[in-house]
Amino acid sequence: MKMRASCSLLPQRMTVAADQVHVWHAPLDTSPSEVAGLKETFALDELSRAARFRHATDRQRFVACRGMLREILSWYTGESPGELEFCYGPHGKPLLKVADGAHPLRFNVSHSHGLAVFAIARDREVGIDIERFQTDFAWEEIAASFFSAEEVNILHSLPVQERYEAFLIAWTCKEACAKAGGRWPFPPFGTVGSFALAG
Ligand SMILES: CC(C)(COP(=O)(O)OP(=O)(O)OC[C@H]1O[C@@H](n2cnc3c(N)ncnc32)[C@H](O)[C@@H]1OP(=O)(O)O)[C@@H](O)C(=O)NCCC(=O)NCCS
C-alpha cells in the first residue's frame, strides 16, 4: 500500500464503529523521499528515537511505520498527521493524547521484517501482532515455556507438519491479547486472526 498515493482514493474521514476493528497493512521499505516526507510529521521524541537506530534500514522502517501510523490516525481524527500527539501507557503502549481523559480512538501496531500492520478500534483497547513465518528457531521450547500444559498437549496432538503454524497462530494471538492489555493466557486454538480486543 502506498500511503500517500492511496490517500486521495480514501474518503476525507474514516470512521470506525464501536463493533468494528479496521486493520491496515503496509510495506515499510518505501522510497527515501517518502520516508523524508513522513519524518516531517514527527515530534521531537520520535526524531530522537529515529536518530538512535544504528542501521539505516531499521531507522527507515521505524520512520515509515510511525509516519504511516500518524497518517492513518489522521484519517480518523481529522487532524493533520503532524498535529497528533502521543502519550504512553505504563508499559509503553502508545496512545493518542487528549486534554481530558482517554481518546476514544484506540490503535495498535506490529511490524516484522519490513511489513507493518495497524489495528484501529473505538472505545476499547486493541492489540495486534505479526510474526515472520520462519521455523529455524526453538519455537517448541518457547511453547513449552509460555503455553499452558493443555495448550502444549493440543500442539503435540497435531500432525507434525501442522504444529509450527498452530504455534504461530497461538503466539500471535497471545501477543495481540497482551498488547491489547487483555488477560493472559489467551485461548490460542480455534482463534482466528491475530488481533485482540479488550474492554
Ligand atoms: C513491547 C512489545 C509489545 C513489543 O512487541 P514486539 O512483538 O517486539 O513488536 P511489535 O512489532 O509486535 O510491536 C511493536 C509496537 O507495539 C507498540 N507497543 C509498544 N509497547 C507496547 C505495549 N506495552 N503494549 C502494546 N503495544 C505496544 C508500539 O507501537 C510498537 O511500535 P514501535 O516500536 O514502532 O513504537 C512486547 O515486547 C511486549 O511486551 N509484549 C507483550 C508482553 C507479553 O506478555 N507477551 C506475551 C507473549 S508470550
Side-chain angles (χ1 to χ4, degrees):
M1 172 169 63
K2 279 222 161 193
M3 306 298 286
R4 281 169 189 273
S6 64
C7 250
S8 59
L9 301 176
L10 288 161
Q12 280 193 326
R13 287 290 298 271
M14 294 288 296
T15 306
V16 59
D19 61 350
Q20 293 178 327
V21 180
H22 291 184
V23 177
W24 299 88
H25 63 93
L28 295 178
D29 295 327
T30 57
S31 70
S33 64
E34 188 101 14
V35 170
L38 290 168
K39 202 171 167 185
E40 283 171 18
T41 65
F42 276 26
L44 283 178
D45 65 315
E46 292 166 321
L47 290 172
S48 113
R49 190 172 160 200
R52 289 200 297 274
F53 283 94
R54 286 190 187 170
H55 300 293
T57 305
D58 295 335
R59 183 166 51 249
Q60 285 167 11
R61 285 177 176 174
F62 167 72
V63 172
C65 188
R66 186 53 73 97
M68 288 177 189
L69 172 66
R70 281 182 168 274
E71 194 144 338
I72 291 169
L73 290 173
S74 77
W75 302 337
Y76 292 85
T77 65
E79 294 167 87
S80 70
E83 282 176 320
L84 297 170
E85 285 188 66
F86 294 112
C87 57
Y88 296 87
H91 304 292
K93 183 174 183 174
L95 304 161
L96 274 175
K97 192 172 174 181
V98 279
D100 48 346
H103 198 290
L105 199 67
R106 302 302 169 88
F107 64 90
N108 197 229
V109 177
S110 183
H111 42 78
S112 178
H113 297 86
L115 181 69
V117 286
F118 309 86
I120 311 287
R122 175 169 296 278
D123 290 328
R124 54 180 168 174
E125 295 299 339
V126 64
I128 192 163
D129 188 58
I130 51 166
E131 301 289 342
R132 190 187 206 184
F133 198 99
Q134 53 179 37
T135 51
D136 57 342
F137 69 104
W139 58 271
E140 281 174 307
E141 285 175 28
I142 294 174
S145 301
F146 290 95
F147 289 8
S148 69
E150 189 187 353
E151 290 165 351
V152 172
N153 284 341
I154 295 172
L155 204 58
H156 287 160
S157 73
L158 295 172
V160 173
Q161 67 275 16
E162 290 175 19
R163 287 183 197 170
Y164 174 68
E165 190 172 350
F167 161 79
L168 213 53
I169 290 169
W171 181 261
T172 51
C173 286
K174 284 173 182 290
E175 277 282 348
C177 192
K179 292 177 74 185
R183 284 171 181 273
W184 174 272
F186 188 66
F189 296 106
T191 308
V192 179
S194 299
F195 66 82
L197 291 167

